Amino acid sequence: MKDVPINVAQVVGGGICVSAADGHRVHDLVYDHILAGHRVCLSFESVTRMTTAFLNTAVGQLYGAFPPDRLREQLAPPVCADPRQLVQLKLVVDRAKVFFDNPVRARADFSQAIESDDG
Amino acid sequence: MPNPGRADETRGLAGDVTLRFSCSAPQASVEVKANTAGFNAMACLHRDLSGFHDANIIVEFSKVAWFDGHLTAALDLVFRQAACRRNVVRLSGLRPRLRDTFCKNHLISKRKFDRHNTVMPIRAFEVDQALAFSGYAKRHLDRPEMPNMTAALRRCFFESIDEIFANAALHARASLPVIVGGQYFPRRQVLAFAIVDGGEGMQRAVCAKLHRALSPAEAIAWAMEPYNTTRQGDVPGGLGSKVLREFIEENGGRITVVSAGGLWQQHGALVSRRHLAAPYPGTAVLLEMKTIAALPHRPVEIPDPNNIW
């Protein structure tokens, strides 16, 4: 399996990774390589700001296209990610697995949400 | 192109319609802040303005003694909505202090130099301008006047407001741009920021998602729960509110979300919600953070990079 490094900041054109549109650019690149059977290594070198909105599109939606086992095999451990970025990544990945496993689950959470303390 | 919603101070002319801001408040003098009363005043002004098309309207502010600077973004949306109906809105009766606030925050076209460097003037961004917005926030907020923040907290703050903008851009579905503005309050040691969109509001999207009728405040409460999202299709969501709420809980500050007729607020860890007297014409998210953040970051478990996917 061919290893392919992808530098997130280079794809986006800078270290500010905040928009969903930029996330789509990263996603499309990763998607193509995974489809081609390559192993992708995402590098977060020089990424200074990052949102979950960006990560949802960049990596979260991969879980709607590929099964988690395949992604675990074809995504190498991220490199140059600082602790906060690792926390964000893990949050988004775990959320994506749940979302695509049961996309209507949010509806079931509804009752609990609106029972919060009325002011 | 000049801002269509920007209102200039003026004197009344024959044929003008005059509306009074905060006319229903019993006090002779009111302070407009990020609370139910403040948004009631703006929502009622929108309701009153909604009856007019192609009109010259004067909004009279003589009762207003104070207006939180970051709320000018929320008021700007009310004026922009009125301008969409081809109204020309002008302001009158501004007390000197209020005029200063409106000038410095660029709500009105007359300008005043912000010598204390505490203002983030109103600016409108299209939904695809997340990068420009991020640069604007950095330029105006990452400066020496914002003291006592740890590097970690500072970064968390910037990412939080980027999350708010990203959410507004994703969900607003509005023809109007996203309006932002902010204010540093040195005495209160609070840094406040507002992101406002003129979209359809949360209630419609949440009710459509849940196939159930909810009040505006209930809809906001649902949307602010971690992992809840109205997004459907290929992209998961529902994490922006989680990041924000954890940040505010840690910081002890306050986040206020107003959408249509509902107001939802988290102060530290405490959550409350209210109904407004009239619908606000969009969604406003206000972030008020303490800059005396001696609070340590809550320790979090750092995931193993080998176990991310």
Side-chain angles (χ1 to χ4, degrees), chain B residues 188-245:
Chain B
R188 284 194 249 165
Q189 293 189 295
V190 165
L191 178 58
F193 193 76
I195 300 184
V196 183
D197 71 71
E200 62 183 8
M202 295 180 176
Q203 186 186 23
R204 180 181 292 186
V206 172
C207 291
K209 163 90 178 184
L210 300 177
H211 305 291
R212 181 170 172 175
L214 294 180
S215 73
E218 287 172 335
I220 302 171
W222 184 88
M224 292 303 292
E225 281 299 305
Y227 307 120
N228 284 354
T229 179
T230 58
R231 294 176 76 167
Q232 301 193 27
D234 297 337
V235 183
L239 296 173
S241 63
K242 175 177 166 61
V243 173
L244 266 175
R245 292 187 64 178

Side-chain angles (χ1 to χ4, degrees), chain B residues 41-116:
Chain B
M42 287 188 274
C44 288
L45 175 62
H46 170 68
R47 178 196 60 200
D48 295 344
L49 287 166
S50 295
F52 296 98
H53 297 257
D54 301 294
N56 291 322
I57 303 168
I58 295 173
V59 180
E60 213 273 330
F61 277 85
S62 60
K63 282 178 81 169
V64 181
W66 172 266
F67 202 103
D68 272 355
H70 59 302
L71 287 185
T72 53
L75 183 58
D76 190 55
L77 175 65
V78 173
F79 292 146
R80 282 173 184 265
Q81 296 280 15
C84 287
R85 295 184 300 278
R86 300 174 304 280
N87 296 304
V88 176
V89 178
R90 295 186 171 85
L91 313 188
S92 74
L94 300 177
R95 300 184 190 187
R97 193 175 187 184
L98 187 62
R99 186 185 300 112
D100 278 359
T101 300
F102 285 0
C103 287
K104 287 179 182 173
N105 288 278
H106 296 190
L107 181 72
I108 57 180
S109 47
K110 196 178 290 180
R111 295 285 184 265
K112 182 161 185 173
F113 179 62
D114 173 28
R115 67 188 168 94
H116 299 297

